[in-house]
Amino acid sequence: MDWNPTNEFWFYTDMLGKRPDVDFITLTYLDNEALDKVIIDEIESRRHRKGWWRVYGEGQLGEVEGKIYRDWAIIDDIPHTARLERYGVDYGYTNDPTAIVALYRHNDGYILDEVSYQKGLSNKQIADILLNQPLSLVVADSAEPKSNDELKVYGVNLIPANKGKGSVSQGIQHVQGQRISVTKRSVNIIREYRNYLWKVDRDGKILNEPEHQFSHSMDAIRYAMESNKPQLDLELLGKVMANRAHPKSFK
């Protein structure tokens, strides 16, 4: 087995030092001779984050500071009673992947399922992926209106994500307030979830801005979930207020 020990679990309490038939060895990224330099550079770029480095750089038991999301459950598959709500899309190409995430509603929580996580996808390829999925609304990054318009031409039912001042932190707060599960096949969502951190300044103070490094599927999730928030019916609100003033007139 392997793990990144962000907190103590049953191995530490029930096996380590208590079972004579168990060997324990700590390995890190430096022990992987086949590791790509890009990944090595990615890992070492976070050496300044003491908690993160202790866990992912040194393989020691610790707690990752500044983790944005917590307590997501990993499940085997999507229950047949789950309802597909929409897809979230965060665009990438050369340096970043395009992340496509399906958002399901189940009981009082959400289920996330990875549809695609690839670099170098053209808009036509993105459209083909989406059109081969069960039909549902697509919510995509509004910073790329040309890509959004092109996907619409290909027949994708798409709306741009709401973005503006404070939208990122508000969207993160909304996601933080939900009960979330992730399918175990969604390996990139799980990897980003475990590594999605707030930025820190030179003094180690946590800032209210997420790092970009592991944000791709996280952004796609935020687009989908933010657009799925219940919207206030202003017409109904007006009727309710009128009813308070004139109860007999309310219809």
Side-chain angles (χ1 to χ4, degrees):
M1 65 176 70
D2 69 326
W3 64 81
N4 285 110
T6 55
N7 50 50
E8 189 175 80
F9 64 102
W10 57 263
F11 174 81
Y12 296 93
T13 58
D14 300 338
M15 296 181 71
L16 184 60
K18 299 177 181 179
R19 289 270 301 268
D21 59 338
V22 173
D23 288 327
F24 179 63
I25 183 171
T26 300
L27 300 172
T28 73
Y29 71 101
L30 295 174
D31 296 291
N32 185 347
E33 297 175 354
L35 203 60
D36 190 278
K37 187 178 184 302
V38 173
I39 299 176
I40 293 174
D41 292 343
E42 183 179 275
I43 293 170
E44 293 186 340
S45 70
R46 286 186 163 187
R47 188 184 287 269
H48 66 290
R49 303 198 65 135
K50 294 180 180 179
W52 191 96
W53 183 252
R54 176 174 170 79
V55 175
Y56 294 101
E58 299 174 347
Q60 301 299 314
L61 182 65
E63 176 63 33
V64 177
E65 81 280 8
K67 197 169 184 293
I68 294 177
Y69 298 135
R70 297 179 184 274
D71 301 322
W72 290 10
I74 298 176
I75 60 176
D76 289 336
D77 212 338
I78 301 167
H80 72 278
T81 53
R83 182 180 71 247
L84 177 62
E85 295 286 344
R86 58 202 59 205
Y87 299 96
V89 176
D90 185 61
Y91 295 110
Y93 192 71
T94 302
N95 298 318
D96 296 329
T98 293
I100 305 176
V101 178
L103 178 70
Y104 290 81
R105 185 76 178 175
H106 185 247
N107 296 333
D108 59 344
Y110 288 99
I111 296 174
L112 308 173
D113 190 46
E114 185 175 305
V115 176
S116 182
Y117 189 93
Q118 300 180 63
K119 293 180 181 179
L121 289 179
S122 67
N123 288 335
K124 178 63 167 63
Q125 290 172 314
I126 296 171
D128 288 343
I129 291 171
L130 289 165
L131 293 172
N132 277 286
Q133 301 299 312
L135 184 65
S136 191
L137 180 67
V138 174
V139 186
D141 187 355
S142 58
E144 295 214 20
K146 185 177 180 181
S147 294
N148 289 340
D149 288 346
E150 190 172 342
L151 261 62
K152 290 179 186 178
V153 170
Y154 291 131
V156 176
N157 182 22
L158 182 148
I159 62 171
N162 291 323
K163 296 180 80 171
K165 186 177 181 180
S167 62
V168 175
S169 59
Q170 290 173 12
I172 287 174
Q173 288 176 9
H174 176 63
V175 176
Q176 287 173 328
Q178 310 305 312
R179 187 172 66 84
I180 295 177
S181 301
V182 187
T183 57
K184 66 181 181 182
R185 62 175 171 259
S186 303
V187 293
N188 293 294
I189 293 178
I190 294 169
R191 179 174 63 92
E192 291 200 350
Y193 156 70
R194 290 172 173 165
N195 290 278
Y196 192 42
L197 307 178
W198 296 112
K199 287 183 178 179
V200 295
D201 62 18
R202 292 181 178 180
D203 298 322
K205 180 183 177 182
I206 295 176
L207 307 176
N208 191 31
E209 182 182 351
E211 292 185 347
H212 173 73
Q213 195 169 0
F214 293 95
S215 67
H216 315 298
S217 59
M218 298 296 102
D219 285 346
I221 292 163
R222 179 165 50 82
Y223 300 151
M225 293 191 72
E226 265 282 279
S227 70
N228 203 47
K229 285 196 300 187
Q231 299 298 314
L232 182 62
D233 190 326
L234 295 180
E235 182 180 354
L236 179 59
L237 177 62
K239 289 183 177 181
V240 170
M241 297 303 292
N243 181 50
R244 288 181 177 179
H246 307 284
K248 292 183 180 181
S249 67
F250 185 71
K251 294 182 180 179

